[in-house]
Amino acid sequence: MNPTTKPEEPADESGDNKAERAVPAAADKNDAPGPSLAKDSGESPQAGGAQGAHRAGDADGDGAASDDGDDGDLLVDDPDGEYTPPPSSGLAAASTALISVLLSLVALIGTWSGKVIAERETLVGQIDLGQTGTAQQQISEIYGDAWHATALTNGIFAVLALIVGLAALGLPQRKSWVQPFAVAGIALGALALLISIGMYFDVFVSLPEPPPAAPPTTG
């Protein structure tokens, strides 16, 4: 009796294919680069510690620099280590120059205060003399004192104009017109001062003189 041979079962192609596809997939996963936990052979623990200390030193240096810096400060650091103040707005110089010009104009034209002082001197002279003073005394006390009081008042304003104008030249300036205005105030103030001095000492116009008394007539 002949032994019957069992027919060979065909190999499951689907299973073989799955096995073959699984092997390359596993190989690809093993070959994929990953984070290496091993230290480089050329790097020693001492070198790593030195680099860490260097990084810490850099961080400390940066922190010290940021602390010592003037971030947000209004003052500007000078390379030599000195602080330079911020630039001025120039408002003080501009205002001072305008005030100098106005004061000099007041000294030239006259002021209400000078008029009041002159009228007061006139009234005081009338009260002091009354009806007994001579013509020369009346001119000197009533007219001369008022004239000199007006000149003195204008002279004071002229001196103030000079002082304020010189101060404007010394202040920090940002506008181009500040210096010409300051110089104009100084020039006008000097002119007003000269006129006031001449008025006070009767250089330009002298006080009027009374006419000579007529000789008495003989009967």
Side-chain angles (χ1 to χ4, degrees):
M1 186 173 177
N2 294 329
T4 60
T5 60
K6 296 181 180 180
E8 295 179 0
E9 296 180 359
D12 189 1
E13 294 179 359
S14 61
D16 294 340
N17 293 336
K18 290 181 179 179
E20 291 176 359
R21 287 196 298 269
V23 172
D28 294 338
K29 290 182 180 180
N30 293 331
D31 295 336
S36 178
L37 299 179
K39 294 184 179 180
D40 191 4
S41 59
E43 183 179 359
S44 61
Q46 292 81 2
Q51 291 179 359
H54 181 67
R55 293 194 186 97
D58 292 342
D60 295 337
D62 295 339
S66 61
D67 294 337
D68 295 337
D70 58 342
D71 295 339
D73 195 0
L74 295 177
L75 299 179
V76 180
D77 279 342
D78 191 55
D80 298 334
E82 298 179 356
Y83 288 103
T84 303
S88 175
S89 61
L91 180 60
S95 303
T96 308
L98 290 177
I99 293 173
S100 176
V101 173
L102 294 177
L103 288 175
S104 61
L105 292 177
V106 167
L108 287 173
I109 298 173
T111 62
W112 175 81
S113 60
K115 183 179 180 180
V116 171
I117 294 174
E119 292 177 353
R120 180 183 182 279
E121 291 295 329
T122 300
L123 181 60
V124 170
Q126 292 175 353
I127 294 173
D128 292 341
L129 291 177
Q131 300 297 328
T132 60
T134 63
Q136 184 69 30
Q137 290 177 344
Q138 291 180 359
I139 292 173
S140 177
E141 294 292 333
I142 297 175
Y143 177 77
D145 290 349
W147 177 263
H148 294 160
T150 302
L152 181 60
T153 305
N154 294 341
I156 292 174
F157 278 94
V159 172
L160 291 176
L162 288 174
I163 295 174
V164 174
L166 292 175
L169 291 178
L171 292 174
Q173 302 175 9
R174 298 292 298 274
K175 303 294 184 180
S176 59
W177 55 266
V178 173
Q179 186 172 2
F181 268 69
V183 173
I186 293 173
L188 292 176
L191 179 60
L193 182 61
L194 292 177
I195 294 175
S196 300
I197 292 174
M199 290 174 58
Y200 189 84
F201 292 102
D202 301 329
V203 175
F204 305 116
V205 180
S206 61
L207 293 176
E209 296 180 359
T217 58
T218 57

